[in-house]
Amino acid sequence: MEIIMSLVVGVLFTVGVYLILTKSLLRIILGTAILSHGAHLLLLTMAGLKTGNPPLLPDDLSGGNVGAYTDPLPQALILTAIVISFGVTAFFFVLAYRAYKELGTDDMDQLRGNDDE
Amino acid sequence: MNNLLILPLIIPLLTGIILILFREQIKVQKWLSAIAMILTIGVSIQLVQTVSLKGIQTLRLGGWEPPFGIILVADMFAALLVATASIVGLCCILFAFRSIGIERERFYFYPFMLFLITGVSGSFLTGDIFNLFVCFEVMLISSYVLIVLGGTKEQLRESLKYVLINIVSSIFFVISVAYLYAVTGTLNMADLSLIVSEIMTQATSGQQGLVLIIALLFLFVFSLKAGLFLYFWLPGSYSAPPTAIAAIFGGLLTKVGVYAIFRTFSLIFYQQPEITHQLIAWLAGMTMIIGVLGAVAHWDVRKILAYNVVAAVGFIMFGFAIFTTVAIEGAIFYLIHDMIVKALLFLLGGAMIAIAGTSNLKEMGGLIKNHPGLGWMFFIAALALAGVPPLSGFIGKLLIIQGGLDAGFYWLTGISLLSSLLILYSVIKIFMNGFWREQKLRREEEKASFKGLALPCALLILLSIALGLGAEWVYGDYISEAAHTLMNPSIYIDAVSPVKE
């Protein structure tokens, strides 16, 4: 299972990098979103995809029936990383919108600028 | 356990949150943010004293035993950097009072400055690698907003690139953490250090190569943040925002990346210096060359100063890569000096640009006639930057060069000496072209005055002179202890791990 997930992550990274290297700003932002999906999946995969119960304790602990659990730590890390990347992506979209309105282009080649301004 | 550790984070954070409520009351915003910064300086100096008297201080948030909870750790290195960062932060905020303008102040300028300082202090004090990532993001998101605040065309264009670069490096940070967690199963830095050295000493585990790759990934991430060789985003981004913001960027942001390299490569990945530290040394050498080339080539005050940031990062990392006690002491001294002097130079350069109304040196001239104070302050700052003996840059450079020669890095030491000369040339070029020559502007044609901006600059310059003159005191009591802790990870680990009963 880990190998399949690694391949999926690899594909996501390839697509993300390809999109980031294109000219259009919108495609670049989509690229960063796909890259962050890849990173989050990688975090989940690298912690191990063993089958186990969801990380919730049963109500009845008296019988000692606490089975094997999946690792809860990477899930917390991913949640943190998701909200951070969500905030940044929202900011980036609005920034791109403002830049498009002010500068009149979304072509990164034309956003180079020069020293004379 | 010491609750003092959280105060450098809590004070700016809470003040920033409260200031969101006072959007229109600029007076309240100014007073509260200045008071908060003075309090932060007070507690961080108190922290330095406590660490110096009682050794490393830790705070287990939530009371969990490490490695299970998040822990804040203040060794001497982190405490000194927190104190320096809060002083630089105060001076930049004071400078902003008279220079930033009502429009930016009304749109939450002061809260974002305080959040930025929260992120910086948090990065210095944390003892957990994922918490370091979160503090990085707190700092970076504040810096995104500060770099674009005002929304001029240049700011919009440069912030697009700045945001993109930092998103990519943050994603790589998450990936590095994922790999590290897969190999070690922990996120606490002290615990990581123990497990990584265990892996490195077991000849049979076959994971040494993996650890090395992870170390290089972390080096890539932090180099991108610090501008170590991967500097290409830096000159443009640091020239776009207004002076007070550029100064706090130049003083603090890259230094957090530098701190992260210091911490990870002295605490966690110190077992293979022949690969990692050699690589850092050569990257540092190239960074110095690139930085001085850029600084010498440009005629724009901001660009020259931005490339000086790059060159200084190279120099500090060279001191770290030598990895002897003397060189580390030099690197720490130079790091603290550089935070102060870079902020000072950005502030003075910004004042020059505001007065002359242009950042092009070829259109400036004769500013010293009307602004002798500004001129001589710039001159002293330039000499301090280059490392002229009575001032603060000298001791750090001397120690790094001494360490480089002792360790046999002759080529890189030569490069660093030559880069000092060219850095002096680049800042004296600003001084001679901007302040000397025939006067271009009469007093009434000037776009701004230096009045009211002088106080924060004077504070920083006095601090720089004091750091130079009082070098023996600072060095003997504080810097050598900081370097001692960095060179001996066991001190850090012992302070963090639970007390054996």
Side-chain angles (χ1 to χ4, degrees):
Chain A
M1 192 63 194
E2 274 89 348
I3 291 176
I4 299 172
M5 287 307 280
S6 305
L7 287 174
V8 171
V9 170
V11 170
L12 284 177
F13 265 87
T14 319
V15 175
V17 169
Y18 177 77
L19 283 176
I20 280 185
L21 294 175
T22 53
K23 278 186 189 173
S24 152
L25 192 50
L26 212 52
R27 288 163 73 97
I28 290 173
I29 302 176
L30 288 178
T32 62
I34 289 174
L35 272 188
S36 64
H37 284 322
H40 299 155
L41 271 181
L42 185 74
L43 202 49
L44 199 64
T45 313
M46 292 309 286
L49 292 171
K50 295 173 201 73
T51 45
N53 296 329
L56 292 167
L57 284 177
D59 290 335
D60 175 33
L61 280 173
S62 54
N65 55 351
V66 182
Y69 287 100
T70 48
D71 189 351
L73 187 66
Q75 305 192 5
L77 300 186
I78 291 169
L79 264 178
T80 315
I82 284 174
V83 290
I84 289 175
S85 72
F86 175 71
V88 173
T89 308
F91 178 79
F92 201 8
F93 265 119
V94 177
L95 181 65
Y97 178 65
R98 262 306 284 279
Y100 177 69
K101 275 180 58 170
E102 289 278 324
L103 303 165
T105 176
D106 74 333
D107 187 340
M108 287 307 271
D109 266 357
Q110 291 171 19
L111 290 172
R112 253 186 214 153
N114 45 31
D115 293 338
D116 312 328
E117 288 172 309
Chain B
M1 292 283 274
N2 187 345
N3 283 331
L4 190 63
L5 257 80
I6 195 123
L7 290 181
L9 277 95
I10 285 286
I11 296 173
L13 180 66
L14 280 184
T15 317
I17 291 171
I18 290 168
L19 288 186
I20 294 176
L21 304 176
F22 297 100
R23 186 182 150 208
E24 298 288 341
Q25 285 95 321
I26 307 295
K27 272 241 165 65
V28 178
Q29 297 219 20
K30 285 180 175 174
W31 273 102
L32 273 181
S33 50
I35 290 168
M37 284 319 296
I38 290 168
L39 275 178
T40 315
I41 293 172
V43 292
S44 52
I45 287 171
Q46 170 84 32
L47 185 62
V48 171
Q49 280 304 331
T50 319
V51 173
S52 145
L53 292 175
K54 297 186 193 157
I56 296 179
Q57 299 293 308
T58 60
L59 174 63
R60 289 167 197 168
L61 299 174
W64 274 299
E65 294 280 295
F68 299 115
I70 286 175
I71 188 166
L72 295 184
V73 185
D75 63 346
M76 184 48 94
F77 183 42
L80 283 174
L81 290 183
V82 170
T84 318
S86 47
I87 292 170
V88 170
L90 174 71
C91 291
C92 291
I93 285 179
L94 288 180
F95 192 90
F97 282 0
R98 293 295 185 89
S99 69
I100 200 75
I102 184 85
E103 276 309 313
R104 287 193 170 89
E105 282 174 332
R106 282 180 55 217
F107 285 94
Y108 309 107
F109 170 75
Y110 294 112
F112 279 110
M113 285 295 257
L114 292 167
F115 294 149
L116 182 82
I117 291 160
T118 311
V120 171
S121 307
S123 310
F124 288 150
L125 286 176
T126 183
D128 180 288
I129 200 104
F130 194 76
N131 199 29
L132 179 69
F133 165 75
V134 175
C135 288
F136 259 105
E137 288 301 310
V138 171
M139 173 186 91
L140 286 173
I141 292 173
S142 320
S143 76
Y144 300 158
V145 178
L146 285 173
I147 200 174
V148 79
L149 194 65
T152 63
K153 282 188 175 163
E154 191 192 0
Q155 280 180 303
L156 283 168
R157 206 180 57 220
E158 293 304 329
S159 57
L160 282 174
K161 298 164 197 170
Y162 179 74
V163 173
L164 177 62
I165 286 291
N166 280 301
I167 288 179
V168 171
S169 77
S170 297
I171 288 169
F172 273 91
F173 200 161
V174 175
I175 294 167
S176 324
V177 170
Y179 286 142
L180 192 59
Y181 182 71
V183 172
T184 62
T186 180
L187 294 169
N188 181 294
M189 288 193 200
D191 204 27
L192 275 173
S193 173
L194 285 176
I195 294 174
V196 166
S197 28
E198 207 172 289
I199 291 172
M200 297 311 260
T201 47
Q202 285 170 347
T204 52
S205 72
Q207 286 190 313
Q208 281 91 346
L210 272 179
V211 171
L212 182 65
I213 295 289
I214 296 168
L216 294 181
L217 254 175
F218 272 107
L219 181 63
F220 164 70
V221 170
F222 295 141
S223 301
L224 207 49
K225 313 251 187 205
L228 174 69
F229 189 63
L230 304 170
Y231 72 98
F232 44 84
W233 54 273
L234 195 146
S237 320
Y238 282 23
S239 327
T243 305
I245 298 170
I248 205 164
F249 281 19
L252 301 185
L253 288 197
T254 54
K255 307 305 185 290
V256 180
V258 170
Y259 166 83
I261 295 180
F262 267 67
R263 184 59 80 204
T264 43
F265 284 86
S266 72
L267 183 62
I268 305 174
F269 306 113
Y270 58 86
Q271 292 88 356
Q272 288 174 306
E274 71 281 359
I275 301 173
T276 50
H277 291 64
Q278 280 287 334
L279 181 64
I280 296 176
W282 287 106
L283 286 177
M286 283 186 278
T287 314
M288 282 189 271
I289 295 172
I290 293 162
V292 292
L293 283 182
V296 168
H298 281 280
W299 280 86
D300 181 301
V301 176
R302 293 169 174 210
K303 285 268 160 55
I304 295 174
L305 295 178
Y307 274 103
N308 268 312
V309 173
V310 178
V313 167
F315 193 69
I316 296 165
M317 289 322 301
F318 171 54
F320 174 73
I322 298 167
F323 216 53
T324 60
T325 309
V326 175
I328 296 270
E329 282 167 357
I332 296 172
F333 201 105
Y334 199 81
L335 179 58
I336 292 168
H337 144 84
D338 195 60
M339 285 164 84
I340 295 168
V341 169
K342 276 293 139 54
L344 174 64
L345 274 175
F346 269 93
L347 292 181
L348 293 172
M352 280 174 76
I353 295 168
I355 290 166
T358 169
S359 64
N360 191 339
L361 275 178
K362 290 177 177 160
E363 294 164 17
M364 278 187 206
L367 288 175
I368 202 142
K369 282 257 169 54
N370 290 335
H371 303 281
L374 175 63
W376 294 117
M377 270 199 232
F378 193 93
F379 186 66
I380 295 172
L383 293 186
L385 182 72
V388 173
L391 299 162
S392 61
F394 175 64
I395 310 288
K397 272 198 174 152
L398 181 71
L399 289 170
I400 291 179
I401 284 162
Q402 199 185 330
L405 291 179
D406 288 347
F409 285 96
Y410 299 114
W411 270 102
L412 287 169
T413 312
I415 291 173
S416 64
L417 281 172
L418 189 66
S419 79
S420 297
L421 189 67
L422 291 174
I423 279 175
L424 182 65
Y425 168 75
S426 73
V427 276
I428 290 297
K429 183 168 86 178
I430 301 181
F431 180 73
M432 286 175 64
N433 289 295
F435 289 100
W436 287 358
R437 297 196 309 189
E438 76 277 23
Q439 210 174 350
K440 289 266 169 69
L441 294 168
R442 286 196 309 282
R443 187 172 270 282
E444 46 285 4
E445 290 171 334
E446 286 172 357
K447 309 286 188 293
S449 85
F450 188 52
K451 247 190 212 161
L453 302 181
L455 174 71
C457 303
L459 274 178
L460 284 175
I461 210 156
L462 284 177
L463 195 64
S464 161
I465 293 171
L467 200 60
L469 293 179
E472 195 176 329
W473 176 68
V474 181
Y475 174 75
D477 285 4
Y478 302 106
I479 306 274
S480 56
E481 193 189 323
H484 182 67
T485 320
L486 277 187
M487 290 302 288
N488 299 289
S490 57
I491 303 176
Y492 185 98
I493 296 165
D494 287 344
V496 170
S497 26
V499 188
K500 308 270 182 326
E501 282 163 27

